[in-house]
Amino acid sequence: EEIIKKNYEPNNVKELFKRVFIDVGALANKHGIKVDELDYDADTFETYQNNLISAVNNVLLRIEQEKNISSRKEINDVIKYIEKNIGEPINCELMANHVNMNSSYFSRLFKQEVGVSFSEYLINKRIERATDLLINTNLTIEEIAQAVGIENVSYFYRIYKKVTGKTPREIREAK
């Protein structure tokens, strides 16, 4: 409404929308949501507005889905536990005990509900958190590895490169 009321210059409007789209992408990234390239190029104000509304709704919907990734309460409890305790030693058997299940049943159920194995999910969450720490803190790589629950630094380097395609140092230098 303010943009219309004050009749901003078109280039200023484009720049404003571009910055908001970048913020929406950062919000998605913070929540571990991969979004395709956000389409912030448009010919009219209405198209910019519709694209932005669509992008925001999409990200918010996916954040909400991420909170309740499974229809099973036990799986959602495990996901919440991982979010809160990412720096602690966590494994499949510990989580199965946490939700009073047999570990092999829990493992099968987790993969069925989430779409990836428990260990793959855990590693991805640890790498997401490590990436956030690499970009937003000055902690050493060794401190980051420990903060995300990986004690062996050389293992952290290997798994980080395997998951992201880049080394932790490359991520840090790119910030």
Side-chain angles (χ1 to χ4, degrees):
E1 290 175 1
E2 185 177 333
I3 291 171
I4 293 169
K5 189 167 83 177
K6 292 189 177 181
N7 200 21
Y8 286 129
E9 291 291 322
N11 286 339
N12 292 342
V13 173
K14 284 182 180 183
E15 187 60 32
L16 175 65
F17 273 100
K18 182 177 178 181
R19 288 180 183 178
V20 174
F21 273 104
I22 289 169
D23 288 344
V24 170
L27 174 67
N29 189 40
K30 179 180 177 185
H31 288 276
I33 298 169
K34 297 196 183 326
V35 291
D36 296 331
E37 195 67 31
L38 293 172
D39 185 18
Y40 54 80
D41 193 27
D43 294 332
T44 67
F45 178 81
E46 288 76 23
T47 306
Y48 274 114
Q49 192 175 17
N50 291 336
N51 288 352
L52 180 59
I53 289 169
S54 176
V56 168
N57 287 338
N58 183 26
V59 169
L60 292 176
L61 176 66
R62 293 186 52 203
I63 288 170
E64 189 58 36
Q65 288 171 340
E66 188 77 16
K67 286 181 183 175
N68 293 308
I69 201 164
S70 170
S71 60
R72 296 289 302 257
K73 180 188 179 313
E74 300 91 343
I75 301 301
N76 286 325
D77 286 349
V78 166
I79 289 168
K80 288 175 188 166
Y81 181 93
I82 291 169
E83 291 289 327
K84 290 179 183 171
N85 301 286
I86 196 75
E88 301 299 318
I90 299 172
N91 60 43
C92 188
E93 189 168 330
L94 177 71
M95 292 296 92
N97 289 336
H98 179 71
V99 293
N100 299 316
M101 288 185 183
N102 169 289
S103 64
S104 65
Y105 175 70
F106 168 76
S107 180
R108 284 192 312 274
L109 181 64
F110 191 93
K111 181 160 182 146
Q112 176 186 327
E113 290 289 313
V114 179
V116 295
S117 71
F118 174 79
S119 59
E120 187 177 348
Y121 180 85
L122 179 61
I123 285 294
N124 286 334
K125 287 298 175 183
R126 286 185 164 159
I127 297 303
E128 285 173 16
R129 178 71 179 128
T131 301
D132 181 49
L133 292 171
L134 285 165
I135 292 169
N136 297 309
T137 72
N138 290 322
L139 294 172
T140 67
I141 293 171
E142 291 77 14
E143 290 169 328
I144 290 172
Q146 289 182 342
V148 299
I150 302 175
E151 295 295 321
N152 184 320
V153 177
S154 62
Y155 174 71
F156 174 73
Y157 272 95
R158 279 194 317 274
I159 200 71
Y160 194 94
K161 172 94 174 172
K162 181 180 178 186
V163 170
T164 67
K166 296 182 179 183
T167 67
R169 196 161 271 117
E170 289 172 326
I171 297 295
R172 171 149 286 162
E173 289 170 356
K175 73 174 184 174

